[in-house]
Amino acid sequence: MLTNRQLEILQVIVDDFITSAQPVGSRQISKKKHITYSPATIRNEMADLEEMGLLEKTHTSSGRVPSDKGYRFYVDHLLQPKRLLKEDMLQIQSVFTDQHAEVEQIIRKSATILSQLTSYTSIMLGPDVQSHRIKKISIVSLTDDTAVAIIVTDQGHVEHRTFHVPEHFSASDVEKAVNILNERLYNVPLEHFAQSLETEVQRLLKQHINAAEEFIASLTHHEPSQTKLFYGGKTNMLRQPEFHDVNKLRMLMDMMEARQQVYELFQPNEAGIHIRIGSENEQIAMENCSVITATYQAGESTGAIAIIGPTRMDYERVISLVDFVRRDLTRAFNKAK
Amino acid sequence: MLTNRQLEILQVIVDDFITSAQPVGSRQISKKKHITYSPATIRNEMADLEEMGLLEKTHTSSGRVPSDKGYRFYVDHLLQPKRLLKEDMLQIQSVFTDQHAEVEQIIRKSATILSQLTSYTSIMLGPDVQSHRIKKISIVSLTDDTAVAIIVTDQGHVEHRTFHVPEHFSASDVEKAVNILNERLYNVPLEHFAQSLETEVQRLLKQHINAAEEFIASLTHHEPSQTKLFYGGKTNMLRQPEFHDVNKLRMLMDMMEARQQVYELFQPNEAGIHIRIGSENEQIAMENCSVITATYQAGESTGAIAIIGPTRMDYERVISLVDFVRRDLTRAFNKAK
DNA sequence: GTTAGCACTCAGTTAAAGGGAGTGCTAATA
DNA sequence: TATTAGCACTCCCTTTAACTGAGTGCTAAC
């Protein structure tokens, strides 16, 4: 267990390093107004904190830097969520002033504002459309042999896929097919679309229309629509001194382009605010980064927010901001619709 | 006018610098098999070429480097389009093997492949949907006061916008509205949608439905749908030695995130292959870059391809690749649909 | 017209030297 | 016993100087 003095010193070191990005020395600490001990005492305490694995040195005679474990301790025990400034709140709320805005617009803007306010990179996961329920299905013929199928969900999401029309598939087949689909698939969650289509509905379709199998194959043979990602401040990382190394930078950027790896950042996708610091992340590209995630609700479906910054991140501020945006998004998406 | 020898020397310098990224010296040139003159002669010629503004030195006693003007000369007079390797062609054509693929998929894949083959960054402009013609309009009610309008074009593009339903707008109004819209706007280019809606069609709607004005406003008050951009190899630039400077890098990345500036890259959007070298670009962020653009056709609408690389770009190869992709895209989009 | 020869320039590397910020340890102090 | 002053030491970083190597421009000879 840490003494009060150790807590105090750790706090100063983390706070200092977060703003300066420079290792913190004992003299520097002792100069702080509220610190009453001498540099020598502080050095002793720092040696202890280092033994516990909370601090590190960059070389034998350098000042101290928080370790990942040190940040973890800081996040768990030391930081106190700050109230946001009026300006920050106003900025965030400006996203919601346009009543006509669509879900996608709002999320896009949120991502941008979050990255501006934090000066880190934000990634937002759009509401998970797979849990939307099917409201209406229609088919529009384009040419003799192609048509586009459109699915509208109860939350206003629209999905469409162009498909090849089987040869013996007449206009009346189209009509019948649309009727059957709408009757049988109404209110079915999007995630069960393909499944339903290939089981119950298949039989029905085969009875009433030509080339049913081919038709179904056309509709289901399609990559599942992926949850959309929205980025803000992609280049903010270039401003961070820890990323003046082009190699680290490339690893990080490559990771952010890779859908699968980005999805992993959001795991576990549970309510509440989650923080993963440096090596707590699975990805090597993230070993110098921390990520703060949270979820928001839009009706029955869930979306998520992530902020990626250096481990030397202003946790207090970012947590407050993310939480505020989370609440506002959830509120906006549940009153309007 | 340049002598043959000068042409030869310029060619060697450009070719050499493109592969090595190092200033080229006279000795190095004289060692080439097909070069018969001594270093001293070459130095004289280089001095002349420098006077003409085709070459530059990085410092007083360094080898020579092509200037933007030098590259321009090279591109206009010296390079000879190479036939692509079989492998390259096969790779590109693999994009088109999936018959079920949608336009967007194909373009996305093309962008990726192009960036891989060139090791530069590719940006592709999707077909300009504004010239598509309206095929079908439908409206699906979501809640009491919101609905989503869907427009399908003749090329299979689907556009949708959620809107607020006016208070005295009944279900029968919806039906009537949809009928009128389909009747009047069929085959109208998307770019005239708002305009048509606000002139001729407006009168008709006012006669037959309630709250017509509000309804029209909801539909037209909407940012015009922007042509989609697809990126490939965004991080390839980080591999280029000229971008080990984080500042240049940031400028470039920021530019690539800014829609408006990216659109400018594609100007003038005319048929043929266009090359802009270094300072020929308007943007400062592009002063160390060249961009090669070309257009492809998809029915009546036009899309475009751009490759962004350092001015020290392998022009011969990139031009061949871009041209090949251009043709293939045009072919693919005009037989299938 | 071409080339060999030579003096010169400049970036980049290496080595040495000194300063600065920091540490750990020990002994004196409160 | 806990704290602190003092001191030797460590290591990074910057500066300086010397040296090397790749290149140039110019001149005189071929």
Side-chain angles (χ1 to χ4, degrees), chain B residues 1 3 61 68 97 109 114 128 151 187 190 204 206 230 232 243 253 273 316:
Chain B
M1 202 43 213
T3 66
S61 72
D68 287 354
T97 49
K109 276 197 205 162
L114 258 179
D128 171 29
I151 303 176
N187 224 24
L190 211 50
L204 210 58
K206 277 191 190 162
F230 303 88
F243 287 98
M253 294 259 168
I273 292 194
E316 292 185 338

mmCIF file of all heavy atoms in Angstrom, chain B residues 1 3 61 68 97 109 114 128 151 187 190 204 206 230 232 243 253 273 316:
data_model
loop_
_atom_site.group_PDB
_atom_site.id
_atom_site.type_symbol
_atom_site.label_atom_id
_atom_site.label_comp_id
_atom_site.label_asym_id
_atom_site.label_seq_id
_atom_site.Cartn_x
_atom_site.Cartn_y
_atom_site.Cartn_z
ATOM 1 N N MET B 1 17.084 24.140 -77.648
ATOM 2 C CA MET B 1 16.886 22.711 -77.931
ATOM 3 C C MET B 1 18.046 21.886 -77.367
ATOM 4 O O MET B 1 19.176 22.333 -77.339
ATOM 5 C CB MET B 1 16.792 22.536 -79.457
ATOM 6 C CG MET B 1 16.073 21.249 -79.856
ATOM 7 S SD MET B 1 14.594 20.912 -78.891
ATOM 8 C CE MET B 1 14.614 19.151 -78.862
ATOM 9 N N THR B 3 20.747 18.788 -77.135
ATOM 10 C CA THR B 3 21.479 17.840 -77.984
ATOM 11 C C THR B 3 21.127 16.420 -77.552
ATOM 12 O O THR B 3 20.587 16.205 -76.466
ATOM 13 C CB THR B 3 22.994 18.014 -77.805
ATOM 14 O OG1 THR B 3 23.318 17.629 -76.457
ATOM 15 C CG2 THR B 3 23.403 19.448 -78.014
ATOM 16 N N SER B 61 28.406 21.259 -53.705
ATOM 17 C CA SER B 61 29.215 20.177 -54.254
ATOM 18 C C SER B 61 28.480 18.837 -54.277
ATOM 19 O O SER B 61 29.087 17.798 -54.110
ATOM 20 C CB SER B 61 30.503 20.037 -53.445
ATOM 21 O OG SER B 61 30.225 19.487 -52.186
ATOM 22 N N ASP B 68 11.481 20.240 -60.939
ATOM 23 C CA ASP B 68 10.123 19.989 -61.420
ATOM 24 C C ASP B 68 10.083 20.138 -62.937
ATOM 25 O O ASP B 68 9.467 19.356 -63.650
ATOM 26 C CB ASP B 68 9.136 20.973 -60.776
ATOM 27 C CG ASP B 68 8.883 20.627 -59.313
ATOM 28 O OD1 ASP B 68 9.380 19.577 -58.853
ATOM 29 O OD2 ASP B 68 8.188 21.400 -58.635
ATOM 30 N N THR B 97 -13.126 -10.378 -61.470
ATOM 31 C CA THR B 97 -13.581 -11.756 -61.614
ATOM 32 C C THR B 97 -14.927 -12.008 -60.947
ATOM 33 O O THR B 97 -15.737 -12.770 -61.436
ATOM 34 C CB THR B 97 -12.549 -12.738 -61.018
ATOM 35 O OG1 THR B 97 -12.210 -12.264 -59.710
ATOM 36 C CG2 THR B 97 -11.306 -12.809 -61.883
ATOM 37 N N LYS B 109 -11.764 -2.049 -54.556
ATOM 38 C CA LYS B 109 -10.677 -2.999 -54.809
ATOM 39 C C LYS B 109 -9.646 -2.421 -55.756
ATOM 40 O O LYS B 109 -8.445 -2.620 -55.577
ATOM 41 C CB LYS B 109 -11.246 -4.293 -55.416
ATOM 42 C CG LYS B 109 -11.762 -5.278 -54.379
ATOM 43 C CD LYS B 109 -11.912 -6.644 -55.014
ATOM 44 C CE LYS B 109 -12.944 -7.499 -54.299
ATOM 45 N NZ LYS B 109 -13.403 -8.628 -55.135
ATOM 46 N N LEU B 114 -4.251 -0.736 -57.023
ATOM 47 C CA LEU B 114 -3.394 0.292 -57.615
ATOM 48 C C LEU B 114 -2.349 0.773 -56.619
ATOM 49 O O LEU B 114 -1.182 0.979 -56.968
ATOM 50 C CB LEU B 114 -4.240 1.485 -58.066
ATOM 51 C CG LEU B 114 -4.514 1.571 -59.551
ATOM 52 C CD1 LEU B 114 -5.377 2.772 -59.867
ATOM 53 C CD2 LEU B 114 -3.207 1.668 -60.326
ATOM 54 N N ASP B 128 -19.933 9.781 -60.991
ATOM 55 C CA ASP B 128 -20.680 10.961 -60.592
ATOM 56 C C ASP B 128 -22.168 10.655 -60.639
ATOM 57 O O ASP B 128 -22.781 10.613 -61.704
ATOM 58 C CB ASP B 128 -20.346 12.090 -61.558
ATOM 59 C CG ASP B 128 -21.244 13.272 -61.323
ATOM 60 O OD1 ASP B 128 -21.677 13.451 -60.165
ATOM 61 O OD2 ASP B 128 -21.514 13.996 -62.293
ATOM 62 N N ILE B 151 -34.478 7.131 -53.248
ATOM 63 C CA ILE B 151 -34.414 7.363 -54.689
ATOM 64 C C ILE B 151 -33.475 6.334 -55.295
ATOM 65 O O ILE B 151 -32.342 6.190 -54.851
ATOM 66 C CB ILE B 151 -33.855 8.768 -54.993
ATOM 67 C CG1 ILE B 151 -34.719 9.829 -54.310
ATOM 68 C CG2 ILE B 151 -33.812 9.005 -56.492
ATOM 69 C CD1 ILE B 151 -34.181 11.233 -54.480
ATOM 70 N N ASN B 187 -36.808 9.572 -64.866
ATOM 71 C CA ASN B 187 -35.804 9.858 -65.895
ATOM 72 C C ASN B 187 -35.146 11.250 -65.783
ATOM 73 O O ASN B 187 -34.376 11.644 -66.643
ATOM 74 C CB ASN B 187 -36.394 9.691 -67.287
ATOM 75 C CG ASN B 187 -35.402 8.934 -68.166
ATOM 76 O OD1 ASN B 187 -34.558 8.185 -67.652
ATOM 77 N ND2 ASN B 187 -35.499 9.124 -69.469
ATOM 78 N N LEU B 190 -30.423 13.233 -61.472
ATOM 79 C CA LEU B 190 -30.410 13.495 -60.033
ATOM 80 C C LEU B 190 -30.048 14.941 -59.733
ATOM 81 O O LEU B 190 -30.566 15.552 -58.799
ATOM 82 C CB LEU B 190 -29.386 12.567 -59.374
ATOM 83 C CG LEU B 190 -29.671 12.110 -57.953
ATOM 84 C CD1 LEU B 190 -31.082 11.568 -57.845
ATOM 85 C CD2 LEU B 190 -28.680 11.041 -57.549
ATOM 86 N N LEU B 204 -48.040 21.080 -58.685
ATOM 87 C CA LEU B 204 -48.845 19.859 -58.703
ATOM 88 C C LEU B 204 -49.050 19.323 -57.289
ATOM 89 O O LEU B 204 -50.168 18.953 -56.892
ATOM 90 C CB LEU B 204 -48.120 18.821 -59.557
ATOM 91 C CG LEU B 204 -48.982 17.798 -60.286
ATOM 92 C CD1 LEU B 204 -49.972 18.504 -61.193
ATOM 93 C CD2 LEU B 204 -48.088 16.889 -61.105
ATOM 94 N N LYS B 206 -48.851 20.887 -54.492
ATOM 95 C CA LYS B 206 -49.679 21.802 -53.683
ATOM 96 C C LYS B 206 -51.162 21.574 -53.933
ATOM 97 O O LYS B 206 -51.990 21.699 -53.039
ATOM 98 C CB LYS B 206 -49.315 23.254 -54.003
ATOM 99 C CG LYS B 206 -48.102 23.764 -53.245
ATOM 100 C CD LYS B 206 -47.981 25.267 -53.406
ATOM 101 C CE LYS B 206 -46.663 25.771 -52.862
ATOM 102 N NZ LYS B 206 -46.346 27.112 -53.389
ATOM 103 N N PHE B 230 -12.613 6.922 -52.615
ATOM 104 C CA PHE B 230 -12.063 5.664 -52.129
ATOM 105 C C PHE B 230 -10.552 5.778 -52.103
ATOM 106 O O PHE B 230 -9.946 6.189 -53.085
ATOM 107 C CB PHE B 230 -12.485 4.519 -53.046
ATOM 108 C CG PHE B 230 -13.966 4.398 -53.180
ATOM 109 C CD1 PHE B 230 -14.644 5.103 -54.156
ATOM 110 C CD2 PHE B 230 -14.681 3.593 -52.320
ATOM 111 C CE1 PHE B 230 -16.014 5.013 -54.280
ATOM 112 C CE2 PHE B 230 -16.062 3.489 -52.424
ATOM 113 C CZ PHE B 230 -16.731 4.202 -53.405
ATOM 114 N N GLY B 232 -6.659 4.128 -51.346
ATOM 115 C CA GLY B 232 -5.826 2.926 -51.244
ATOM 116 C C GLY B 232 -4.437 3.330 -50.794
ATOM 117 O O GLY B 232 -3.923 4.356 -51.228
ATOM 118 N N PHE B 243 9.303 11.703 -47.141
ATOM 119 C CA PHE B 243 8.304 12.036 -46.126
ATOM 120 C C PHE B 243 8.685 11.558 -44.739
ATOM 121 O O PHE B 243 7.832 11.312 -43.902
ATOM 122 C CB PHE B 243 6.928 11.501 -46.540
ATOM 123 C CG PHE B 243 6.346 12.303 -47.647
ATOM 124 C CD1 PHE B 243 6.451 11.881 -48.960
ATOM 125 C CD2 PHE B 243 5.746 13.517 -47.381
ATOM 126 C CE1 PHE B 243 5.950 12.649 -49.986
ATOM 127 C CE2 PHE B 243 5.243 14.291 -48.407
ATOM 128 C CZ PHE B 243 5.340 13.858 -49.720
ATOM 129 N N MET B 253 -1.206 14.635 -45.373
ATOM 130 C CA MET B 253 -2.312 13.836 -44.831
ATOM 131 C C MET B 253 -3.539 14.705 -44.607
ATOM 132 O O MET B 253 -4.660 14.303 -44.883
ATOM 133 C CB MET B 253 -1.880 13.222 -43.506
ATOM 134 C CG MET B 253 -0.773 12.218 -43.638
ATOM 135 S SD MET B 253 -1.439 10.564 -43.562
ATOM 136 C CE MET B 253 -0.077 9.588 -44.090
ATOM 137 N N ILE B 273 -4.967 11.120 -69.773
ATOM 138 C CA ILE B 273 -4.166 11.006 -68.558
ATOM 139 C C ILE B 273 -3.472 12.332 -68.296
ATOM 140 O O ILE B 273 -2.871 12.909 -69.197
ATOM 141 C CB ILE B 273 -3.138 9.874 -68.708
ATOM 142 C CG1 ILE B 273 -3.903 8.543 -68.748
ATOM 143 C CG2 ILE B 273 -2.137 9.892 -67.567
ATOM 144 C CD1 ILE B 273 -3.049 7.334 -68.564
ATOM 145 N N GLU B 316 6.701 6.118 -65.725
ATOM 146 C CA GLU B 316 6.385 5.148 -66.777
ATOM 147 C C GLU B 316 5.446 4.078 -66.272
ATOM 148 O O GLU B 316 4.402 3.800 -66.862
ATOM 149 C CB GLU B 316 7.673 4.492 -67.290
ATOM 150 C CG GLU B 316 8.570 5.468 -68.041
ATOM 151 C CD GLU B 316 9.799 4.799 -68.648
ATOM 152 O OE1 GLU B 316 10.182 3.716 -68.161
ATOM 153 O OE2 GLU B 316 10.379 5.364 -69.582
#
